[in-house]
Structures are given as structure tokens and as C-alpha cells.
Amino acid sequence: MTDFTMSTDADGVATIVWDTKGKSMNVMTLDAWDELEALVDQALAEDAIKGVIITSGKPGSFAGGMDLKVIAKMKEMAGDNPAKGLFDGIMNAHRIMRKIERAGMDPKTNKGGKPFVAALPGTALGIGLEIPLSCHRIIAADNPKAKIGLPEIMVGIFPGAGGTTRLSRKLGAMAASPLLLEGKLNDPQKAKAAGVIDEVVPAEDLLSAAKAWVLSEPNIVKPWDEKGYKMPGGAPYHPAGFMTFVGASAMVNGKTQGVYPAAKALLSAVYEGALVPFDTALKIEARWFTNVLMNPSSSAMIRSLFVNKEALEKGANRPEAADQKVTKVGVIGAGMMGAGIALVSALAGIEVVLIDNTQEAADKGKAYTTAHLDKGIARKKVTQEKKDAVLGLINATTDYDALKGCDLIIEAVFEDVGVKAEVTQKVQAVTGPDCIFATNTSTLPITELAKAAVDPANFIGIHFFSPVDKMLLVEIIKGKKTGDVAVAKALDYVRQIKKTPIVVNDARFFYANRCIIPYINEGIRMVKEGVEPALIENAAKLVGMPLGPLQLVDETSVDLGVKIAKATKAAMGDAYPDGEVDEVLFWMFDQGRLGRKSNAGFYAYDDSGKRLGLWEGLAAQYPVADDQPDLTLVQHRLLFAQVLEAVRALEEGVLEDIREGDVGAILGWGFAPWAGGPFSWLDMIGAPYAAERCDQLAQEVGARFTTPALLREMADKGQDFYKRFGPDAQAA
Ligand code: NAD
């Protein structure tokens, strides 16, 4: 046995210990189910065994859930008829847990049976809570760091091993909904208060409390196996229950815009399951779970948001180089970005020298960290000692000599080649040429900026997104001469500050901005054409973009758009394609409507800055046309504008790994997460259809949609991106 073992004590209490070999936390695999069932059978068969404790051999945790790598591949592994294979596999898990729950009781009288208690030393997530929910009691150690809950919805699936049916019957649909629909996790005390678990005891008493309960001859019949069971809070046909389901359904559709299949399926499983006996409800749950696993969205989300994100964080693309852990970082420029970079570095325990032109500006940058920590103190998430320690790591100064001993410099001064070159030289006069120098530029070519460095091999781009403390992605950009140590340094630093890195080559706007600018431009272009602005914004949201393109311009500011447009036009000359966009953008700029920061933009705002709705004045300048395009056309224009840029970035070698293209798109600019990223989306719709659609768009809308050669070739050969460029293909 590699996962579960059982021993029985002199009092006849058996203890099944879950201890997955070679893992720091237990995860469920397909084989481990068989082991668990064999032990449950043995415990039920042996007369000497009076009851069973199921616990974990890992200190501080019970189990982290199902192995996500397995879930991502379950469909592929399910045989020729995957839906049937998946359904049968799920029903097998239900059967084993139902065996625990019924524990040998007489099916008619509910007499007999042996008590099963789950004893949780700590964290119990996903299936790690669904197994305990099938036991007759759940006792947890009083471990405030432990997280207990069903987070499946966060990865694009839902609790499909009985968690949905059991929790909604245990708590009622209303009380279960934040736990199921939002994947809310609780520490043991809060989990008990919410009714998810039954008892919390000091860690050292966990097993003795469990044993005492087993020997107490408890009633082990689950409420839903008793005659006359009623769902707490009312079943759907009860007036109170009816209200819950109407509200939950509206909330789910409002939040997901209908593009996340899992939330709807979950709600259907709860609703339909509530109308029938428990075993039928499990079957319904299994059918909906199969439906979700069959939807390509769930495997694409798991692949990008977990499997590949984790691989990138662990250094999938890190060159061979010694450990480059950063102990002292110099941040030059204490403005919006520099202040955020100082904050995340100090929070990671790195010593920070924060430099600006004046002491006042440097202090202002440090004050950002103070304000962040004060907020944490107000929310009881940060202690005064922690605040003192973090602030103690930041030296805000104008003195470049303080940079001595830094092993990484990140420059976030004005976006100006001259200013950046001067800073690079001034810094290197103190640090010497070997200290890795990074620029946080968002638009300037790294290869050009590297010319100011003594050794361009030690010069690199580390591109943060704003606000630095909230955005999870960091784009690392290699200039033509950037060396391996610089890349390793940047990756090790990003790992220290717990963000997700992608590594790309140097080209205009790198990767993320390159894809997001065409999205914004396509939205503005449609305004010029007379497309109803509300149609543009809603089309974007209905396809899973977090912000419509017009709202996004307001957030990032119209003047930034104007600045980027002017610089791009200067660089591209006659080839510049966005004159029509600029007409609208420059007009907005002339009206002083700069976006959220001026409380006026494509949207109207009230005095407190609250967004009210689309600005009506836009229609006077750009009248809405009588004929409006259909929703799908608007959506395809907005999606293909981004996706084709991603394909071109791959084609041109800016992107070296499509995993980075997908993960970077979701984390960097919120590209429709349900799709798993631009390349996953293309695989979903298929290269032949994508190329055909682009051909139509190129003809009807504009040449910017011309099918890139790579996509054309893949369409002709019937290839898909992950099969051709994914890690398995690379390894083969
Ligand atoms: P900002 O204007 O808020 O801050 C720049 C700071 O640099 C100012 O405090 C300024 O006093 C200081 N500074 C200027 N010259 C200096 C010098 N010679 N020595 C020391 N300090 C100097 O700008 P920001 O938004 O923080 O942007 C900084 C950099 O980050 C730019 O290159 C920008 O393109 C890039 N960036 C910005 C964003 C964003 O969303 N704002 C996102 C990614 C990257």
C-alpha cells in the first residue's frame, strides 16, 4: 500500500492512516481509492473492529484534494467513450464513500453498522473534505493555520465526490452556497461554526477524542437516511427554498455571465438532487460532474491556472545557473510602480534600498508600504511587530551609495530613454557591472536600454503590472544580449515575491501589452463605426473578459493611450494601422475626458469617483448606427484581436512557450479565464475554424484579422497548439 494503512488497537478501534508516499500533503489518485476500499471492507468484515478513525500521517494536514494533474487528464484517460468512463469512475468513488456512510447498517431498519470518524490534523480540501463528509463525525485539531473547504469551483469544476450533495443536505442550500459556489475556506473554528465539521479539539487530543467518540455507541444514521428527512432551510418546492434557488441562480449568472459551466452545473446538481432520494441525488451529481469534465473549459482552466502556472513558478524555463536568491534589492524611482515593488520585496523579507530624486519622493514611496501594513493591522491580518520588521527592511533615500551590496537593481523611473540611461550608469558606478540590472519599462526596447549598461548580459526587463501588490504576473524580458544568470536572477526573485513569471523575448510591447492594446483599439474602433458602446462592453463581458475595452481605457487612462499611440506611430511611420482609433482617443483627450482619474471618460462618474454608466455625450460625436452587428461578430472581433497577436508573438519567437502565452494572458490582462488562455481557446474551436473565421473577418472587417501563416499551416494540417507546442510535444 502506498497511500492508506490500517491498524487496530486492543479496544477494537481501527485507525486508517492516509499518508501518500513522497508528498508533503496527501492527494487522491485513482489507485488510492482501491486501497481505501479494501481497508474499509476489512474493517467492516472483522468482528473485532468496533469502529474506525480515518486520519492522516501528515503533520498539520489531512489532504489537499484530488491530484489536479489527474483531473486535467481524466477525460483523456477515460477510454473510447469518455463520458461513460468518467461517470463510471465517479460512481465508483460514490459507492466507496456510501459504503463508509452506511457502514454495514441494515438498509431497511438502519440498525447495526460501525461508526467512522474523520480526525483531521489540519487542512482538508476538496476530496480531503468529501471523504470526511461521508463519515459519521468530523473532528479537527485546533490548528488556526488549517484550511477546510471545497475550493473546486475556483479551478473550473465543482465538488463531485459527494461534497455538493452532502453539504447541501447537511447545511441547507442557503448556508452551503458560499462554501460551494465561492469555494470559501475556513479555519477549524469557523468550519465548526458554519456546521461543516462537528468538533474542534486540541491537536494532542485529536485521536483520543476520536476514539472516545467511536466507543460511545453513537447514532450513526445520517439525517438523509432517516425517514421524513427535510432539507434545512427548505427544499426547492418549499417557499423559503424556492427563494434561495431563484436568488442563487440570478447571482451565479450575474457573476459568471454564463461562461463558467461549473457554477451552473453545481447549482443544477443541488436543485435537482434536492428533489429526489439521496442515492439518486448522488447519481445526478455524478452526471453533472461528468458534464463539466467533458466541457473543454474545465480541463483548459485546470491546465493553465494550476498545472502550468505551478510549473512556471517552479522554474520550468529557468536556465541552468546557481541559486540567485536576492537578499538586497535596489529600487530606483519611488513612484507608483517603485513603491509597489519595494512593498512586495520587503514583504518577502528582502532588504530594499528605495531611491528617488528627493528625500520627500523616496519617503512617499515608502509610505505606500506603511499604508498597506496599516490596512492589514486594521483587518487584524498584520501585527505591529510584522509592520516594524517590514518597514525596517526599507531604506528610503537619495543616496546611491546605499546601493552597495545589492544583488539586484530594479529601475522604475520615468519612461524616457535618456533618464533611464543616466540612472543605469549612476547605479553601476556604485554596484559595479556584475550586479543584475532590471528595468520595469512598459514600452521601451530592452536591447536599446541595455546599451547604457557596462555589460548587457547583466541587463534584463522585469515588467510588473499595476497595482504591483495585486497583480500576479511578472513578465521577464530578455534583450538580445541578456545572459542566463540575469534570467535566473529575475526568476528566482519573482519566486521569492510569490508571483508567476513568464519569460519572453524583446519586441514592441513585449507580450501582454502587445495583446491587450489591440483589444482596447478594437473597442474604440467600433465606437467610431457607430457600434452601440453598451453592445461593445457587454459583448466583452459575455465572453468572459473582466472589463470591457472602454472601461479598460478609462482605468488605464486616455492620456496613456494617446502617449502610446504617438510613440507607436513615430516608430512605425506609414505602416501605422490605428489612425481611426486615434481620432476617437485624441478627441476624448481634447475634451479632458482622461478616464477614471479625471472622473470622466468613456464612462460617466459621480463626484466620489463611482462609475455611473456609459457617457451619453459620446453618441453626439460618434452617432450610433441604425444597423448593429450581431453579438457574436463583436465578440469575435474582440477575441481575435488579442488571440491573433498571441499567435504572431509565438510565430515571431517573442513567446517561446505557449504555456506562458496562456498563463500570462489570464494573469496579466484577465483574458477569458474560462477559455484557459488564447492558445487553449484556439484549440477549443480548432485551427481550421479559426482560420476560416479570420479569413471572413479580414475580408469584412479589416486586414488586421488576416490569418497568420502559422495558424494557416496548422489549419491545413489539422494541428492543435498543445499537441504541437505543448511540453509533452517538446519532450517527445
Ligand atoms: P511615476 O511617475 O509614478 O514614478 C516615477 C518615479 O521615478 C517618480 O517618483 C520620479 O521622481 C522618479 N524618478 C525620475 N527620475 C529619476 C531619477 N533620475 N532618479 C531617481 N528617481 C527618479 O511612474 P510609474 O507609473 O511608477 O512608472 C515607472 C516606470 O514603470 C516607467 O518606466 C513605466 O513605463 C513603467 N511601468 C508603469 C506601469 C503603470 O501602470 N504605471 C506599468 C508597468 C510599467
Side-chain angles (χ1 to χ4, degrees):
M1 299 243 172
T2 58
D3 291 274
F4 292 94
T5 49
M6 184 167 76
S7 59
T8 307
D9 69 10
D11 298 313
V13 176
T15 304
I16 295 179
V17 177
W18 189 357
D19 197 350
T20 312
K21 286 226 166 57
K23 297 257 181 194
S24 58
M25 202 184 276
N26 293 323
V27 286
M28 199 52 154
T29 59
L30 299 179
D31 295 339
W33 279 117
D34 296 340
E35 289 187 16
L36 177 62
E37 182 174 26
L39 296 178
V40 170
D41 283 342
Q42 192 187 334
L44 292 175
E46 279 181 22
D47 288 342
I49 294 179
K50 296 199 177 90
V52 182
I53 301 170
I54 301 184
T55 190
S56 142
K58 311 288 184 200
S61 71
F62 180 67
M66 190 80 190
D67 186 341
L68 284 172
K69 289 194 186 101
V70 174
I71 295 184
K73 296 209 161 148
M74 260 162 71
K75 190 169 134 196
E76 283 169 39
M77 299 181 333
D80 296 342
N81 185 349
K84 180 162 188 329
L86 286 169
F87 179 75
D88 290 348
I90 299 162
M91 284 309 291
N92 189 47
H94 280 323
R95 192 183 50 74
I96 297 167
M97 283 182 280
R98 196 64 177 134
K99 195 184 274 185
I100 294 174
E101 191 161 51
R102 295 298 299 157
M105 276 179 259
D106 183 291
K108 289 216 173 89
T109 62
N110 277 341
K111 291 267 163 21
K114 299 180 181 183
F116 278 70
V117 53
L120 314 179
T123 292
L125 299 174
I127 222 159
L129 179 59
E130 292 180 294
I131 294 173
L133 282 168
S134 71
C135 295
H136 307 108
R137 190 170 184 83
I138 308 176
I139 306 179
D142 191 6
N143 169 358
K145 287 203 180 128
K147 295 205 182 328
I148 295 179
L150 299 168
E152 283 88 340
I153 202 77
M154 314 291 281
V155 289
I157 53 174
F158 73 88
T164 295
T165 302
R166 286 197 174 85
L167 205 63
S168 55
R169 288 190 181 222
K170 187 171 180 176
L171 307 182
M174 182 70 122
S177 66
L179 303 158
L180 294 171
L181 281 170
E182 294 163 27
K184 190 165 187 265
L185 307 181
N186 287 306
D187 64 26
Q189 293 290 0
K190 287 200 184 117
K192 176 166 186 302
V196 177
I197 63 170
D198 305 300
E199 194 178 341
V200 181
V201 297
E204 59 276 18
D205 299 340
L206 181 65
L207 292 180
S208 56
K211 179 172 169 177
W213 184 83
V214 166
L215 295 175
S216 70
E217 298 188 9
N219 171 20
I220 59 169
V221 186
K222 286 285 175 72
W224 42 89
D225 286 325
E226 302 263 27
K227 274 215 175 72
Y229 163 78
K230 284 204 172 60
M231 198 164 172
Y237 42 79
H238 182 279
F242 175 76
M243 296 304 287
T244 307
F245 281 97
V246 170
S249 183
M251 190 194 88
V252 165
N253 278 311
K255 276 198 176 170
T256 64
Q257 306 283 346
V259 287
Y260 293 89
K264 260 188 165 170
L266 164 71
L267 212 52
S268 298
V270 174
Y271 179 88
E272 292 164 17
L275 301 170
V276 293
F278 187 79
D279 285 298
T280 314
L282 285 181
K283 214 183 256 183
I284 289 173
E285 185 192 291
R287 290 204 195 290
W288 278 114
F289 194 46
T290 304
N291 176 286
V292 166
L293 292 177
M294 287 298 291
N295 189 315
S297 165
S298 63
S299 38
M301 272 178 86
I302 293 172
R303 184 175 62 193
S304 289
L305 286 171
F306 288 84
V307 180
N308 291 343
K309 176 173 171 284
E310 190 183 291
L312 299 179
E313 284 161 2
K314 287 193 171 160
N317 293 324
R318 186 186 186 279
E320 286 289 326
D323 184 11
Q324 296 293 321
K325 194 165 181 244
V326 175
T327 52
K328 183 174 174 186
V329 63
V331 179
I332 322 295
M336 189 164 90
M337 298 304 286
I341 297 167
L343 164 67
V344 296
S345 303
L347 283 177
I350 302 170
E351 196 185 334
V352 180
V353 179
L354 180 60
I355 289 191
D356 208 299
N357 280 330
T358 63
Q359 187 60 42
E360 197 192 348
D363 287 342
K364 190 168 165 229
K366 181 170 174 176
Y368 185 73
T369 297
T370 313
H372 178 93
L373 294 166
D374 283 342
K375 246 189 249 160
I377 288 179
R379 288 190 200 141
K380 298 204 167 39
K381 300 251 179 214
V382 175
T383 59
Q384 183 64 40
E385 296 79 70
K386 167 93 178 169
K387 177 183 164 184
D388 294 342
V390 173
L391 285 176
L393 286 169
I394 305 179
N395 173 13
T397 178
T398 56
D399 179 11
Y400 277 66
D401 273 346
L403 295 172
K404 280 203 182 102
C406 281
D407 50 2
L408 173 67
I409 302 291
I410 303 173
E411 159 285 291
V413 299
F414 297 139
E415 189 75 338
D416 178 289
V417 179
V419 176
K420 287 191 188 291
E422 192 189 317
V423 165
T424 309
Q425 283 157 2
K426 221 165 139 186
V427 167
Q428 292 205 321
V430 178
T431 62
D434 293 338
C435 174
I436 303 298
F437 190 103
T439 171
N440 179 47
T441 180
S442 34
T443 55
L444 303 170
I446 304 302
T447 309
E448 281 303 305
L449 294 177
K451 287 181 180 159
V454 182
D455 181 358
N458 291 335
F459 193 97
I460 194 161
I462 300 186
H463 180 210
F464 286 87
F465 296 81
S466 176
V468 175
D469 41 315
K470 296 224 171 70
M471 297 298 285
L472 301 171
L473 187 76
V474 177
E475 192 172 21
I476 294 169
I477 305 117
K478 296 185 281 188
K480 282 215 170 61
K481 295 189 175 159
T482 300
D484 282 354
V485 174
V487 177
K489 173 70 83 181
L491 282 168
D492 291 359
Y493 166 70
V494 171
R495 191 170 185 175
Q496 278 176 272
I497 60 169
K498 297 197 175 69
K499 296 204 183 277
T500 308
I502 61 170
V503 182
V504 302
N505 286 306
D506 194 15
R508 177 177 300 285
F509 302 132
F510 319 129
Y511 174 63
N513 286 342
R514 170 184 185 146
C515 298
I516 194 69
I517 291 170
Y519 169 67
I520 291 177
N521 283 353
E522 201 59 31
I524 298 178
R525 204 185 293 269
M526 285 193 257
V527 170
K528 169 85 171 50
E529 291 170 14
V531 179
E532 175 71 70
L535 174 58
I536 303 170
E537 295 292 89
N538 286 326
K541 290 207 183 134
L542 286 169
V543 85
M545 294 299 294
L547 301 184
L550 305 178
Q551 190 185 343
L552 192 55
V553 197
D554 271 11
E555 297 295 332
T556 51
S557 89
V558 167
D559 48 328
L560 179 67
V562 165
K563 215 167 137 188
I564 291 174
K566 283 185 177 160
T568 313
K569 193 170 179 182
M572 293 184 76
D574 289 345
Y576 182 70
D578 293 324
E580 291 193 331
V581 176
D582 292 353
E583 189 194 313
V584 181
L585 201 61
F586 286 38
W587 181 76
M588 291 290 285
F589 182 79
D590 291 342
Q591 307 301 305
R593 300 192 71 89
L594 304 184
R596 174 178 286 288
K597 69 179 182 191
S598 67
N599 260 0
F602 285 93
Y603 282 80
Y605 299 81
D606 70 11
D607 291 342
S608 71
K610 186 168 174 256
R611 200 160 36 84
L612 299 174
L614 282 152
W615 177 48
E616 288 175 356
L618 199 57
Q621 182 73 8
Y622 298 103
V624 172
D626 291 339
D627 267 352
Q628 290 294 309
D630 76 19
L631 178 68
T632 311
L633 175 60
V634 178
Q635 289 178 324
H636 278 177
R637 286 179 65 170
L638 293 173
L639 276 185
F640 276 109
Q642 306 167 65
V643 165
L644 291 187
E645 246 355 279
V647 173
R648 289 183 202 113
L650 179 68
E651 202 169 35
E652 292 165 18
V654 173
L655 269 180
E656 292 179 358
D657 183 337
I658 57 168
R659 293 178 296 178
E660 295 181 314
D662 274 354
V663 173
I666 298 175
L667 301 187
W669 76 91
F671 179 90
W674 65 268
F679 296 103
S680 292
W681 183 66
L682 284 171
D683 281 352
M684 244 178 237
I685 62 171
Y689 173 72
E692 186 190 320
R693 189 71 183 118
C694 289
D695 290 344
Q696 288 164 356
L697 289 172
Q699 214 171 26
E700 289 163 20
V701 182
R704 60 193 175 282
F705 290 104
T706 301
T707 308
L710 174 63
L711 184 59
R712 170 83 61 214
E713 182 199 321
M714 292 179 65
D716 291 346
K717 294 183 180 163
Q719 290 176 327
D720 90 25
F721 281 92
Y722 272 84
K723 289 213 180 92
R724 177 164 165 182
F725 296 105
D728 295 342
Q730 309 281 338

